[in-house]
């Protein structure tokens, strides 16, 4: 029951920190390609590969948001500003922010949810914690780009 309440609280946070927009990913998105794109994001994020991170996200107007809970809170208007995305990633990399994929679930049309472990030097002495989140990709042929990422906070997963 406690984990269910934590999950509901995390999703409530995600819902209040991200714009209430529909995610028009499209039917050409496939589970394997979507998961591969998410794994490539995690790898580039952990290594601080900013050019690759930039390439993994759709450009305006397809990009909708990248939101995150603490550490590195990014919500509301900031989450929808594509121009601040790479500077945000640079700041998080400088804080030794790392994420590890625990599980991934594809929900159709490019939409997915996940569970992660995360650690950062600016949060609880760098101790690992679990979280949940959601995302979406847009797919045109073999081109897959992230359009939505919402990373929940500590204890949500």
């Amino acid at each position: 029951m406690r984990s269910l309440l934590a999950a509901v609280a995390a999703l409530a946070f995600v819902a209040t920190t991200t714009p209430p927009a529909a995610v028009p990913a499209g039917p050409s998105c496939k589970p394997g390609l979507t998961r591969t794109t998410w794994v490539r994001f995690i790898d580039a994020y952990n290594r601080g590969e900013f050019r690759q991170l930039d390439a993994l996200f759709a450009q305006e107007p397809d990009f909708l948001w990248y939101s995150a809970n603490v550490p590195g809170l990014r919500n509301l208007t900031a989450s929808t500003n594509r121009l601040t995305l790479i500077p945000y990633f640079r700041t998080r990399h400088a804080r030794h922010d790392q994420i590890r994929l625990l599980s991934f679930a594809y929900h159709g049309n490019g939409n997915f949810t996940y569970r992660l472990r995360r650690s950062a030097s600016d949060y609880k002495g760098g101790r690992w914690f679990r979280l949940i989140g959601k995302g979406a990709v847009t797919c045109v042929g073999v081109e897959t780009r992230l359009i939505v990422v919402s990373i929940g906070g500590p204890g949500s997963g």
Side-chain angles (χ1 to χ4, degrees), residues 47-115:
R47 290 183 297 115
E49 294 288 336
F50 305 114
R51 277 186 255 225
Q52 185 175 3
L53 284 167
D54 191 50
L56 286 167
F57 280 87
Q59 296 298 318
E60 299 285 350
D62 294 330
F63 174 82
L64 297 176
W65 72 82
Y66 181 99
S67 65
N69 202 328
V70 294
L73 185 64
R74 180 179 163 92
N75 62 4
L76 305 174
T77 303
S79 70
T80 63
N81 188 344
R82 176 68 168 81
L83 294 176
T84 63
L85 190 58
I86 299 308
Y88 171 81
F89 290 147
R90 287 183 190 283
T91 299
R92 296 313 312 149
H93 187 69
R95 303 292 188 279
H96 309 286
D97 203 334
Q98 297 285 295
I99 53 180
R100 302 284 185 258
L101 184 62
L102 298 175
S103 67
F104 177 92
Y106 184 75
H107 302 288
N109 292 328
N111 295 286
F112 60 94
T113 55
Y114 53 83
R115 290 183 181 274

Side-chain angles (χ1 to χ4, degrees), residues 13-24 64-65 67 76-77 79-80 134 148 150:
F13 170 81
V14 168
T16 61
T17 60
T18 56
V23 179
L64 297 176
W65 72 82
S67 65
L76 305 174
T77 303
S79 70
T80 63
K134 66 179 180 178
V148 167
S150 292

